[in-house]
Amino acid sequence: MTLALNNVSFEVMPGETFVLMGLSGSGKSTLLRCINRLIDPTEGEVWIDGKNIVEMNREELREIRRRKLGMVFQNFALLPHRTVLDNVAFGLEIQGVPVEERRKKAEETLKLVGLGGYGESMPSELSGGMKQRVGLARALTSDPDILLMDEAFSALDPLIRRDMQDELLDLQQRLSKTIIFVTHDLDEALKLGDRIALMKDGAIVQIGTPEEILTNPENAYVEKFVADVDLTRVLSASDVMRHPEPVARCTAGPRVALHLMEEHDIGSVFVVDRDRRLKGLVTLEDTLKAVRAGKGLEEIINTEIPTVALDTPLTDIISVIAGSPYPVAVVDDENRLRGLVFRGAILAALARKGEDINATA
């Protein structure tokens, strides 16, 4: 016999996007289908909300599939003789939801995935990306706690695939579903996953966050798998930023800002309020003019400065910092200054991560 899954054990947290990744034949799709018992495991347990679904009878299993689980397939699996709206409402129809209620819910979900107004179209009239959105809408309409996505975007063209990945990230931010996502594409796994389980020959060889997988591979197989990854797509602002010092308070005078620039041998300084919310930046030249003219610091603050969020990928920061004479300010959701990114820090971080990866060989 062929051993499809071997000693696989993991836990997925509520609201987490957990990615099963591996080459073709590694067992990832088999594992996903064991979770909802499209494939019955010969041994082991699958616990969902304190219930082991392996021990459930057929009626109990149908109920948990209807209420708890939604699945998005690689080949869309739409019903060709039904309209888009009827496809999306199919799960509610199986649950016995009245026609008007299920059609209203289906229309709302279609708008959620960007297909408002396409309800009366037939699947044959849609592009591949639109069909996949219908499949996603169908899974979401039943409002399941858990979404199982089996290579959901692998059949799409690269540009459409990236759009669908962005769409899923946006939906996850709004809906906070628990998602188990299967892919063989490492870039896709790094983009979507909160954690990744890398599989080989039916076994999980490493589980970790995207950065843990990249920078601390547990064996030669993982190291080879991630060898060609572009680190600028994985590292974020929080990985390369430096402590934001010195900074000037906006209530301070220009002489204080001038003193900070002279003491630290810099040509500009960022300005924050008493709660460290970023107000802008002042330059050495403008500060000298303000001292001579008797102006206050707030009168010379430049507010047109580049800022990024803590989770902004390095690949986006590089394009921002290339066009700016100043460091890039890293701010949180409340616009508090959390760090500064310098050109040299980006190069140093990439070199350091490269050395860390090579050291594990």
Side-chain angles (χ1 to χ4, degrees):
M1 62 182 291
T2 299
L3 186 62
L5 298 172
N6 180 23
N7 196 31
V8 170
S9 180
F10 63 94
E11 186 175 3
V12 182
M13 301 294 107
E16 179 180 26
T17 299
F18 188 88
V19 175
L20 299 173
M21 182 184 67
L23 300 177
S24 179
S26 61
K28 55 191 185 298
S29 291
T30 300
L31 175 55
L32 188 78
R33 289 164 182 260
C34 283
I35 292 173
N36 63 359
R37 277 182 59 189
L38 285 177
I39 296 176
D40 276 318
T42 53
E43 289 186 33
E45 301 169 331
V46 179
W47 291 86
I48 298 176
D49 286 347
K51 297 179 180 178
N52 180 12
I53 73 164
V54 175
E55 297 178 347
M56 290 181 176
N57 59 39
R58 288 296 170 185
E59 185 55 40
E60 291 172 324
L61 182 59
R62 275 194 294 269
E63 188 62 21
I64 203 166
R65 284 173 176 170
R66 291 172 181 172
R67 307 291 179 183
K68 291 285 185 180
L69 300 170
M71 188 155 186
V72 183
F73 298 89
Q74 177 181 355
N75 61 354
F76 315 137
L78 303 182
L79 301 172
H81 60 287
R82 286 178 171 243
T83 65
V84 166
L85 190 67
D86 288 338
N87 265 280
V88 173
F90 184 70
L92 297 180
E93 181 181 340
I94 296 299
Q95 293 178 21
V97 175
V99 175
E100 289 304 316
E101 183 179 344
R102 68 180 184 243
R103 288 179 67 87
K104 180 180 178 182
K105 177 65 175 175
E107 287 172 350
E108 292 173 352
T109 312
L110 280 172
K111 291 178 183 177
L112 189 65
V113 300
L115 286 179
Y118 283 90
E120 298 307 316
S121 301
M122 300 301 291
S124 60
E125 300 169 352
L126 305 182
S127 68
M130 294 168 77
K131 290 177 182 177
Q132 195 57 275
R133 288 171 188 264
V134 175
L136 181 57
R138 180 177 56 190
L140 290 172
T141 298
S142 301
D143 196 24
D145 296 330
I146 302 167
L147 273 180
L148 306 177
M149 304 186 70
D150 188 9
E151 302 255 19
F153 306 147
S154 63
L156 303 175
D157 293 333
L159 290 177
I160 300 174
R161 186 172 186 168
R162 285 196 291 272
D163 287 343
M164 287 302 300
Q165 291 167 358
D166 293 338
E167 185 79 24
L168 181 62
L169 289 171
D170 183 55
L171 286 170
Q172 176 66 336
Q173 187 174 15
R174 284 184 279 167
L175 302 178
S176 193
K177 296 291 184 182
T178 302
I179 300 175
I180 303 178
F181 191 100
V182 167
T183 183
H184 64 270
D185 187 315
L186 181 57
D187 286 336
E188 186 168 69
L190 296 172
K191 181 176 181 177
L192 298 179
D194 296 312
R195 286 188 301 148
I196 299 169
L198 182 58
M199 297 188 68
K200 179 179 183 290
D201 298 333
I204 292 178
V205 293
Q206 185 170 351
I207 296 178
T209 65
E211 186 169 352
E212 288 169 349
I213 294 287
L214 283 176
T215 59
N216 297 297
E218 290 189 359
N219 55 36
Y221 176 77
V222 181
E223 182 184 347
K224 185 177 179 180
F225 204 99
V226 303
D228 297 326
V229 171
D230 182 0
L231 287 177
T232 63
R233 296 183 179 276
V234 181
L235 298 178
S236 63
S238 61
D239 296 315
V240 300
M241 69 183 187
R242 295 181 182 174
H243 189 67
E245 294 294 343
V247 294
R249 292 283 184 92
C250 58
T251 53
R255 293 184 184 278
V256 174
L258 185 62
H259 172 74
L260 289 172
M261 284 184 268
E262 291 175 343
E263 183 178 356
H264 293 272
D265 193 24
I266 53 179
S268 59
V269 66
F270 286 88
V271 181
V272 298
D273 65 13
R274 61 183 300 171
D275 297 317
R276 293 192 69 84
R277 285 190 290 266
L278 181 63
K279 305 298 290 186
L281 172 144
V282 293
T283 65
L284 178 60
E285 182 181 357
D286 288 342
T287 305
L288 284 170
K289 290 179 180 178
V291 170
R292 297 188 187 112
K295 293 183 178 180
L297 195 63
E298 289 188 331
E299 297 178 72
I300 59 169
I301 293 177
N302 177 11
T303 58
E304 300 297 322
I305 56 173
T307 62
V308 296
L310 287 160
D311 59 355
T312 302
L314 235 58
T315 183
D316 295 338
I317 299 174
I318 291 172
S319 61
V320 173
I321 204 168
S324 172
Y326 313 116
V328 174
V330 183
V331 296
D332 60 19
D333 292 340
E334 297 181 6
N335 202 43
R336 289 192 296 259
L337 184 62
R338 299 292 300 276
L340 300 175
V341 177
F342 298 83
R343 287 185 179 86
I346 294 177
L347 296 175
L350 292 175
R352 185 171 63 253
K353 294 297 182 183
E355 290 170 1
D356 291 344
I357 291 173
N358 291 333
T360 63

